[in-house]
Amino acid sequence: MLRSNQLVRTAACALFSATLALGTTGVAFAGQSSHHHGGDGGPEHGITSDDAGGVITVLGTNAITLAGEDGGAPTTFTTSATTTYFEDSTAVTVAALAVGESVNLDLTSTTPQTVAKVTIELAHVSGTVTAVAGSVITIAGHHGGSLTVNVGTTTTYTSNGAASTLAAVVVGSEISAVGLPGTTAGTFNALSVKIRAPHVTTHAHGVITVLGTNALTLAGEDGGAPTTFTTSATTTYFEDSTAVTVAALAVGESVNLDVTSTTPQTVAKVTIELAHVSGTVTAVAGSVITIAGHHGGSLTVNVGTTTTYTSNDAASTLAAVVVGS
């Protein structure tokens, strides 16, 4: 469990609650809530309610004091050797109690009343991961604000319902954490973390603007920022369906990329999109063919020793390319 000095937590929890209070207007994070069942009174005032709830303001020997509702007087409840303690449904010890925690109390029906059961209400926070540094996760709320989530050796993780680890928490993933406010404003101690992995794009398309060592950059769409992709020794290269080498890549070519789904992502396959042109031959000079487009304009077509020719679906040669064809 992630525990710290109880007095320090008092001020920290107040600041934490203020931060989370923004969540009520859709600004920050989902926060903790308190359920008050017993009113402002308690055993000292003759109240025989069988439960109570509130925020712990004082912890004494065999006693818990809860803040009063709406600024009312605080109420002190007596615990005993038979009192049980829980964090939600998980059994804990009295050591789990701390000033600033929200709790629900089940009280005995006998007089004088004592506390039969203390249930610590765990808070819930969620957001998008912006940084991971060791055991510290920073998340941004969906509508602004940020929070530091501390994890420990007992923190549990799930991803899409399956057991997971801290390693699965990466920048861009969405998490929801259950735990308690930390001792410092804007911090949260997580007992469990649910991870929703970021959407992974495994395909990309565009025009090459930069070729680097083990990297290629594609122009952004609609004037957007360019994106750089990492290649590796296992990346394969094709011109349509023909295997080629990395030497076939050139700035200005249109390519399709198959990208790995693992993090960090690398390019598994590069397919160079071949262009198609057609027109009527207006001149042939050695290995240069000039064609006129069907709607105007002209283009010089260079051919080489590896260029192949077909005529009516049969193999042919450059000699069959004549003016007018």
Side-chain angles (χ1 to χ4, degrees):
M1 307 296 297
L2 299 168
R3 295 290 166 207
S4 49
N5 185 278
Q6 295 173 347
L7 294 178
V8 176
R9 170 151 314 157
T10 304
C13 187
L15 291 170
F16 180 81
S17 297
T19 300
L20 296 187
L22 295 173
T24 61
T25 57
V27 176
F29 304 91
Q32 64 182 29
S33 59
S34 302
H35 303 286
H36 301 269
H37 305 290
D40 292 336
E44 295 174 347
H45 303 280
I47 298 297
T48 57
S49 173
D50 60 359
D51 64 353
V55 175
I56 299 174
T57 58
V58 179
L59 280 171
T61 303
N62 293 331
I64 299 172
T65 300
L66 303 186
E69 291 184 357
D70 303 321
T75 305
T76 299
F77 299 86
T78 301
T79 59
S80 70
T82 61
T83 302
T84 57
Y85 302 87
F86 289 82
E87 280 182 342
D88 277 2
S89 59
T90 302
V92 293
T93 68
V94 65
L97 296 185
V99 170
E101 290 176 345
S102 291
V103 294
N104 286 318
L105 308 180
D106 291 348
L107 309 176
T108 63
S109 58
T110 56
T111 303
Q113 284 186 294
T114 59
V115 180
K117 177 183 178 182
V118 180
T119 303
I120 302 168
E121 293 187 343
L122 299 180
H124 299 257
V125 297
S126 62
T128 303
V129 177
T130 57
V132 182
S135 61
V136 178
I137 304 167
T138 303
I139 61 176
H142 301 299
H143 302 285
S146 66
L147 185 71
T148 296
V149 178
N150 301 306
V151 297
T153 55
T154 59
T155 304
T156 59
Y157 306 85
T158 56
S159 179
N160 296 324
S164 190
T165 66
L166 175 59
V169 181
V170 297
V171 172
S173 58
E174 299 277 337
I175 69 167
S176 59
V178 176
L180 294 166
T183 56
T184 304
T187 65
F188 185 82
N189 296 331
L191 301 176
S192 64
V193 175
K194 289 184 178 179
I195 307 160
R196 188 173 69 185
H199 175 69
V200 175
T201 300
T202 56
H203 298 281
H205 169 78
V207 175
I208 298 175
T209 58
V210 178
L211 279 172
T213 303
N214 292 330
L216 56 88
T217 301
L218 302 187
E221 294 184 1
D222 302 320
T227 304
T228 299
F229 297 87
T230 301
T231 58
S232 70
T234 61
T235 303
T236 56
Y237 302 87
F238 289 83
E239 283 182 342
D240 277 1
S241 59
T242 302
V244 292
T245 68
V246 64
L249 296 185
V251 171
E253 290 177 341
S254 290
V255 293
N256 287 316
L257 307 182
D258 291 347
V259 185
T260 63
S261 59
T262 55
T263 303
Q265 290 183 284
T266 58
V267 178
K269 178 182 177 181
V270 179
T271 302
I272 301 168
E273 291 188 341
L274 299 182
H276 299 257
V277 297
S278 62
T280 302
V281 176
T282 58
V284 181
S287 61
V288 178
I289 305 168
T290 304
I291 61 174
H294 300 299
H295 301 285
S298 65
L299 185 70
T300 297
V301 178
N302 300 305
V303 297
T305 57
T306 59
T307 305
T308 60
Y309 305 83
T310 56
S311 178
N312 296 324
D313 295 328
S316 188
T317 66
L318 175 59
V321 180
V322 296
V323 172
S325 55

